[in-house]
């Protein structure tokens, strides 16, 4: 019997399903070095994680860039990333068991990512994960990247789930803000930033190092993470 209020987990991909943000940062550094620009990796991540490639290109290389120009630049940067990360491609600890248990409990599953189509194929198909998801929403499906809520709202719609019954899994402040704007609770994975980077968000219900630390029913009950768990996740 189908639940009248189906529940859903919506996963960011980069830094959440896979612990790859260091490789994205390395590829951005190399990409900008080719153009004579230096970036601070930590500041760059905080300012851009969750934004779409064309948004980043226009911010750092000029707002006058055409769609065709940004598409070529995006392709160059993402090819660099895939070359760097391919030998290391694997899911975050506990993820495979976590989604298997969620499916057994009739939780709908979605991916909502700022990644371009080629990177979604690289990750989800490279790890044979796509078959588990009821919806996959990427940069090509929405006009605006995070912190706008578009990608999460579309994922919920495609799952047939109301925002208040969705929990988002994220590793970046812009993503958690997008979840907040969508009216969704969030779980933070500290794959990339420490717990204190998310202290301002009142929609965060749990902070964890990986998926092995998470309990599905406790998450839907909305229990905030205990202080000692947050400290351990740092």
């Amino acid at each position: 019997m189908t639940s009248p209020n189906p529940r859903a987990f919506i996963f960011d991909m980069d830094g959440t399903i896979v612990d790859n943000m260091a490789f994205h940062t390395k590829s951005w550094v190399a990409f900008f070095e080719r153009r004579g620009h230096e970036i601070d990796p930590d500041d760059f991540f905080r300012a851009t994680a969750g934004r779409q490639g064309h948004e980043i290109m226009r911010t750092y290389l000029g707002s006058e860039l055409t769609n065709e120009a940004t598409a070529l630049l995006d392709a160059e940067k993402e090819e660099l990333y895939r070359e760097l990360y391919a030998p290391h491609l694997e899911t975050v600890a506990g993820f495979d068991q976590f989604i298997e248990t969620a499916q057994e409990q009739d939780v709908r599953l979605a991916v909502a990512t700022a990644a371009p189509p080629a990177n979604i194929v690289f990750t989800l198909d490279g790890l044979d994960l796509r078959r588990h998801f009821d919806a996959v929403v990427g940069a090509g499906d929405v006009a605006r990247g995070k912190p706008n809520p578009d990608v999460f709202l579309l994922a919920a719609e495609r799952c047939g789930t109301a925002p208040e019954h969705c929990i988002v899994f994220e590793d970046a402040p812009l993503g958690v803000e997008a979840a907040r704007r969508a009216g969704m609770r969030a779980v933070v994975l500290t794959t990339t930033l420490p717990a204190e980077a998310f202290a301002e968000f009142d929609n965060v219900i749990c902070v964890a190092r990986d998926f092995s630390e998470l309990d599905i029913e406790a998450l839907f009950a909305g229990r905030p993470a205990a202080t000692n768990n947050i400290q351990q996740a740092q």
Side-chain angles (χ1 to χ4, degrees), residues 95-114:
F95 179 78
D96 300 87
Q97 182 60 54
F98 184 77
I99 60 171
E100 180 180 325
T101 302
Q103 287 179 305
E104 291 171 354
Q105 297 184 22
D106 296 321
V107 178
R108 298 180 184 180
L109 304 176
V111 174
T113 173

Side-chain angles (χ1 to χ4, degrees), residues 6-232:
R7 307 182 299 178
F9 286 151
I10 303 177
F11 300 89
D12 170 53
M13 188 176 76
D14 292 338
T16 302
I17 295 175
V18 289
D19 186 4
N20 62 343
M21 292 310 296
F23 295 92
H24 267 299
T25 299
K26 288 178 183 177
S27 65
W28 277 117
V29 169
F31 173 84
F32 282 117
E33 281 181 347
R34 290 178 177 180
R35 289 159 177 81
H37 296 288
E38 289 188 12
I39 59 171
D40 179 272
D42 292 337
D43 290 344
F44 184 82
F45 173 81
R46 291 171 188 269
T48 63
R51 296 177 66 193
Q52 296 182 5
H54 67 89
E55 296 171 325
I56 297 171
M57 295 300 178
R58 289 194 172 106
T59 297
Y60 286 83
L61 298 178
S63 59
E64 75 283 353
L65 287 171
T66 65
N67 291 340
E68 292 77 12
T70 59
L72 288 172
L73 293 168
D74 285 346
E76 177 188 340
K77 182 269 165 188
E78 297 307 337
E79 184 176 357
L80 272 171
Y81 153 71
R82 291 191 296 273
E83 289 175 0
L84 287 168
Y85 187 53
H88 310 278
L89 182 63
E90 65 179 355
T91 54
V92 168
F95 179 78
D96 300 87
Q97 182 60 54
F98 184 77
I99 60 171
E100 180 180 325
T101 302
Q103 287 179 305
E104 291 171 354
Q105 297 184 22
D106 296 321
V107 178
R108 298 180 184 180
L109 304 176
V111 174
T113 173
N119 285 7
I120 295 173
V121 170
F122 170 75
T123 299
L124 297 188
D125 298 328
L127 292 168
D128 192 27
L129 293 174
R130 192 183 295 265
R131 59 194 171 90
H132 295 292
F133 295 102
D134 300 285
V136 176
V137 181
D141 297 305
V142 294
R144 304 180 301 173
K146 304 167 188 176
N148 295 293
D150 308 29
V151 69
F152 291 138
L153 291 172
L154 183 56
E157 179 183 327
R158 290 183 177 177
C159 284
T161 308
E164 62 267 27
H165 298 302
C166 297
I167 294 176
V168 167
F169 295 79
E170 266 285 354
D171 71 308
L174 290 181
V176 175
E177 172 62 13
R180 187 191 67 79
R181 295 184 189 184
M184 299 177 184
R185 292 167 290 169
V187 173
V188 167
L189 276 294
T190 56
T191 53
T192 314
L193 292 175
E196 60 262 25
F198 303 88
E200 67 183 275
F201 296 103
D202 60 4
N203 62 322
V204 172
I205 57 171
C206 185
V207 179
R209 287 168 294 196
D210 58 49
F211 290 92
S212 68
E213 298 183 351
L214 301 176
D215 177 85
I216 290 172
E217 288 308 317
L219 294 178
F220 280 114
R223 302 172 195 165
T227 301
N228 62 334
N229 289 339
I230 291 176
Q231 291 173 341
Q232 290 171 2

